Amino acid sequence: VPFAAHGYCAYFVYSVMDREYNEDITLEQGFDIVRKCLAALKVRFIVDFPNFSIKVISASGTREYDMAEI
């Protein structure tokens, strides 16, 4: 699986990730997809969460990003 979302919000963001993702994206393009997912949640999800946990997994390990970093 090339991308993942967890919890109830996943029902709203998988369509965005499925449409936008391709195997050759850069990290910045991945962050752009995350921003689009968050925009979709602001429109479609009833609860407004102030923060999300964003983790990037690569061959060199994992890294967690703060919302301000993306």
Side-chain angles (χ1 to χ4, degrees):
V1 177
F3 50 79
H6 301 281
Y8 193 75
C9 292
Y11 292 109
F12 300 105
V13 300
Y14 271 131
S15 61
V16 174
M17 289 190 285
D18 192 45
R19 181 179 59 245
E20 299 288 333
Y21 177 81
N22 70 61
E23 298 225 356
D24 298 325
I25 63 170
T26 64
L27 184 60
E28 187 56 43
Q29 289 169 325
F31 287 152
D32 187 47
I33 294 171
V34 169
R35 286 188 283 272
K36 289 177 182 180
C37 288
L38 295 176
L41 288 177
K42 285 190 181 278
V43 172
R44 299 179 67 198
F45 196 56
I46 195 166
V47 179
D48 184 23
F49 289 109
N51 293 329
F52 287 86
S53 177
I54 301 163
K55 297 181 181 180
V56 175
I57 303 168
S58 68
S60 60
T62 61
R63 178 152 183 216
E64 188 166 353
Y65 289 86
D66 186 275
M67 292 296 296
E69 293 179 280
I70 69 157

